[in-house]
CSV table of all heavy atoms in Angstrom, one decimal:
chain,number,residue,atom,x,y,z
A,638,ILE,N,0.6,-32.5,52.9
A,638,ILE,CA,-0.8,-32.2,53.1
A,638,ILE,C,-0.9,-30.7,53.4
A,638,ILE,O,-0.3,-30.2,54.3
A,638,ILE,CB,-1.4,-33.0,54.3
A,638,ILE,CG1,-1.4,-34.5,53.9
A,638,ILE,CG2,-2.8,-32.6,54.7
A,638,ILE,CD1,-1.8,-35.4,55.0
A,639,GLU,N,-1.8,-30.0,52.6
A,639,GLU,CA,-1.9,-28.6,52.7
A,639,GLU,C,-3.4,-28.2,52.8
A,639,GLU,O,-4.3,-29.1,52.7
A,639,GLU,CB,-1.3,-27.9,51.5
A,639,GLU,CG,0.2,-28.2,51.3
A,639,GLU,CD,0.7,-27.7,49.9
A,639,GLU,OE1,-0.2,-27.4,49.1
A,639,GLU,OE2,1.9,-27.7,49.7
A,640,GLU,N,-3.6,-26.9,53.1
A,640,GLU,CA,-5.0,-26.4,53.1
A,640,GLU,C,-5.5,-26.4,51.7
A,640,GLU,O,-4.9,-26.0,50.7
A,640,GLU,CB,-5.1,-25.0,53.7
A,640,GLU,CG,-6.5,-24.5,53.8
A,640,GLU,CD,-6.5,-23.1,54.4
A,640,GLU,OE1,-5.4,-22.6,54.7
A,640,GLU,OE2,-7.6,-22.6,54.6
A,641,PRO,N,-6.8,-26.9,51.5
A,641,PRO,CA,-7.4,-26.8,50.1
A,641,PRO,C,-7.5,-25.4,49.6
A,641,PRO,O,-7.8,-24.5,50.3
A,641,PRO,CB,-8.8,-27.4,50.3
A,641,PRO,CG,-8.7,-28.2,51.6
A,641,PRO,CD,-7.7,-27.5,52.4
A,642,GLN,N,-7.1,-25.2,48.3
A,642,GLN,CA,-7.1,-23.9,47.7
A,642,GLN,C,-8.5,-23.4,47.4
A,642,GLN,O,-8.8,-22.3,47.4
A,642,GLN,CB,-6.2,-23.9,46.5
A,642,GLN,CG,-4.8,-24.2,46.8
A,642,GLN,CD,-4.1,-23.1,47.7
A,642,GLN,OE1,-4.4,-21.9,47.5
A,642,GLN,NE2,-3.3,-23.5,48.6
A,643,THR,N,-9.4,-24.4,47.0
A,643,THR,CA,-10.7,-24.0,46.5
A,643,THR,C,-11.8,-24.0,47.6
A,643,THR,O,-12.9,-23.6,47.4
A,643,THR,CB,-11.2,-25.0,45.4
A,643,THR,OG1,-11.2,-26.4,46.0
A,643,THR,CG2,-10.2,-25.0,44.3
A,644,GLU,N,-11.5,-24.5,48.8
A,644,GLU,CA,-12.5,-24.6,49.9
A,644,GLU,C,-11.9,-24.2,51.2
A,644,GLU,O,-11.9,-24.9,52.2
A,644,GLU,CB,-13.0,-26.0,50.0
A,644,GLU,CG,-13.8,-26.5,48.8
A,644,GLU,CD,-14.2,-27.9,48.9
A,644,GLU,OE1,-13.3,-28.8,48.8
A,644,GLU,OE2,-15.4,-28.2,49.1
A,645,SER,N,-11.4,-23.0,51.3
A,645,SER,CA,-10.8,-22.5,52.5
A,645,SER,C,-11.9,-22.1,53.5
A,645,SER,O,-13.0,-21.7,53.1
A,645,SER,CB,-9.9,-21.3,52.2
A,645,SER,OG,-10.6,-20.3,51.6
A,646,VAL,N,-11.6,-22.3,54.8
A,646,VAL,CA,-12.6,-22.0,55.8
A,646,VAL,C,-11.8,-21.2,56.9
A,646,VAL,O,-10.6,-21.2,57.0
A,646,VAL,CB,-13.1,-23.3,56.5
A,646,VAL,CG1,-14.0,-24.1,55.5
A,646,VAL,CG2,-12.1,-24.1,57.1
A,647,ILE,N,-12.7,-20.4,57.6
A,647,ILE,CA,-12.1,-19.6,58.7
A,647,ILE,C,-11.9,-20.5,60.0
A,647,ILE,O,-10.9,-20.5,60.6
A,647,ILE,CB,-13.0,-18.4,59.0
A,647,ILE,CG1,-13.1,-17.5,57.8
A,647,ILE,CG2,-12.5,-17.6,60.3
A,647,ILE,CD1,-14.1,-16.4,57.9
A,648,ARG,N,-13.0,-21.3,60.3
A,648,ARG,CA,-12.9,-22.2,61.4
A,648,ARG,C,-13.1,-23.6,61.0
A,648,ARG,O,-14.0,-23.9,60.2
A,648,ARG,CB,-14.0,-21.8,62.4
A,648,ARG,CG,-14.0,-22.6,63.7
A,648,ARG,CD,-15.0,-22.1,64.7
A,648,ARG,NE,-15.0,-22.9,65.9
A,648,ARG,CZ,-15.9,-22.7,66.9
A,648,ARG,NH1,-16.8,-21.8,66.8
A,648,ARG,NH2,-15.8,-23.5,68.0
A,649,GLY,N,-12.2,-24.5,61.4
A,649,GLY,CA,-12.3,-25.8,61.0
A,649,GLY,C,-10.9,-26.3,60.6
A,649,GLY,O,-9.9,-25.6,60.6
A,650,PRO,N,-10.8,-27.6,60.3
A,650,PRO,CA,-9.5,-28.2,59.9
A,650,PRO,C,-8.9,-27.6,58.6
A,650,PRO,O,-9.7,-27.3,57.7
A,650,PRO,CB,-9.7,-29.7,59.8
A,650,PRO,CG,-11.2,-29.8,59.6
A,650,PRO,CD,-11.8,-28.7,60.3
A,651,HIS,N,-7.6,-27.4,58.5
A,651,HIS,CA,-7.0,-26.9,57.4
A,651,HIS,C,-6.1,-27.9,56.7
A,651,HIS,O,-5.0,-27.6,56.3
A,651,HIS,CB,-6.2,-25.6,57.8
A,651,HIS,CG,-7.0,-24.5,58.3
A,651,HIS,ND1,-7.4,-23.5,57.4
A,651,HIS,CD2,-7.4,-24.2,59.5
A,651,HIS,CE1,-8.1,-22.6,58.2
A,651,HIS,NE2,-8.1,-23.0,59.4
A,652,GLU,N,-6.6,-29.1,56.5
A,652,GLU,CA,-5.9,-30.1,55.8
A,652,GLU,C,-6.8,-30.6,54.7
A,652,GLU,O,-8.0,-30.6,54.7
A,652,GLU,CB,-5.6,-31.3,56.7
A,652,GLU,CG,-6.8,-32.0,57.3
A,652,GLU,CD,-6.4,-33.1,58.3
A,652,GLU,OE1,-5.2,-33.3,58.6
A,652,GLU,OE2,-7.3,-33.9,58.7
A,653,GLY,N,-6.1,-31.0,53.6
A,653,GLY,CA,-6.8,-31.4,52.4
A,653,GLY,C,-6.2,-32.6,51.8
A,653,GLY,O,-5.1,-33.0,52.1
A,654,PHE,N,-6.9,-33.2,50.8
A,654,PHE,CA,-6.4,-34.4,50.1
A,654,PHE,C,-5.2,-34.0,49.2
A,654,PHE,O,-5.1,-32.8,48.8
A,654,PHE,CB,-7.5,-35.0,49.3
A,654,PHE,CG,-8.6,-35.7,50.1
A,654,PHE,CD1,-9.9,-35.2,50.1
A,654,PHE,CD2,-8.3,-36.8,50.9
A,654,PHE,CE1,-10.9,-35.8,50.8
A,654,PHE,CE2,-9.3,-37.4,51.7
A,654,PHE,CZ,-10.6,-36.9,51.6
A,655,ILE,N,-4.4,-35.0,48.9
A,655,ILE,CA,-3.3,-34.7,48.0
A,655,ILE,C,-3.4,-35.8,46.9
A,655,ILE,O,-4.4,-36.5,46.8
A,655,ILE,CB,-1.9,-34.8,48.7
A,655,ILE,CG1,-1.7,-36.2,49.4
A,655,ILE,CG2,-1.8,-33.7,49.8
A,655,ILE,CD1,-0.4,-36.4,50.0
A,656,GLU,N,-2.3,-35.8,46.1
A,656,GLU,CA,-2.4,-36.7,44.9
A,656,GLU,C,-2.1,-38.2,45.2
A,656,GLU,O,-2.3,-39.1,44.4
A,656,GLU,CB,-1.4,-36.2,43.8
A,656,GLU,CG,-1.8,-35.0,43.1
A,656,GLU,CD,-1.6,-33.7,43.9
A,656,GLU,OE1,-1.0,-33.8,45.0
A,656,GLU,OE2,-2.1,-32.7,43.5
A,657,ASP,N,-1.6,-38.5,46.5
A,657,ASP,CA,-1.3,-39.8,46.8
A,657,ASP,C,-2.5,-40.5,47.4
A,657,ASP,O,-3.1,-40.1,48.4
A,657,ASP,CB,-0.1,-39.8,47.9
A,657,ASP,CG,0.3,-41.2,48.2
A,657,ASP,OD1,0.7,-42.0,47.3
A,657,ASP,OD2,0.2,-41.6,49.4
A,658,LEU,N,-2.9,-41.7,46.8
A,658,LEU,CA,-4.1,-42.3,47.2
A,658,LEU,C,-4.1,-42.9,48.6
A,658,LEU,O,-5.0,-42.7,49.4
A,658,LEU,CB,-4.4,-43.5,46.2
A,658,LEU,CG,-5.7,-44.3,46.5
A,658,LEU,CD1,-6.9,-43.4,46.4
A,658,LEU,CD2,-5.8,-45.5,45.5
A,659,ARG,N,-3.0,-43.5,49.0
A,659,ARG,CA,-2.9,-44.0,50.4
A,659,ARG,C,-2.9,-43.0,51.4
A,659,ARG,O,-3.4,-43.2,52.5
A,659,ARG,CB,-1.6,-44.9,50.5
A,659,ARG,CG,-1.7,-46.2,49.8
A,659,ARG,CD,-2.7,-47.1,50.5
A,659,ARG,NE,-3.2,-48.1,49.6
A,659,ARG,CZ,-4.5,-48.2,49.2
A,659,ARG,NH1,-5.4,-47.3,49.6
A,659,ARG,NH2,-4.9,-49.2,48.4
Side-chain angles (χ1 to χ4, degrees):
I638 296 175
E639 303 171 344
E640 181 179 3
Q642 298 295 320
T643 58
E644 297 175 286
S645 58
V646 296
I647 298 175
R648 183 177 181 181
H651 294 267
E652 61 181 9
F654 291 116
I655 59 174
E656 287 75 12
D657 183 58
L658 181 63
R659 284 294 158 245

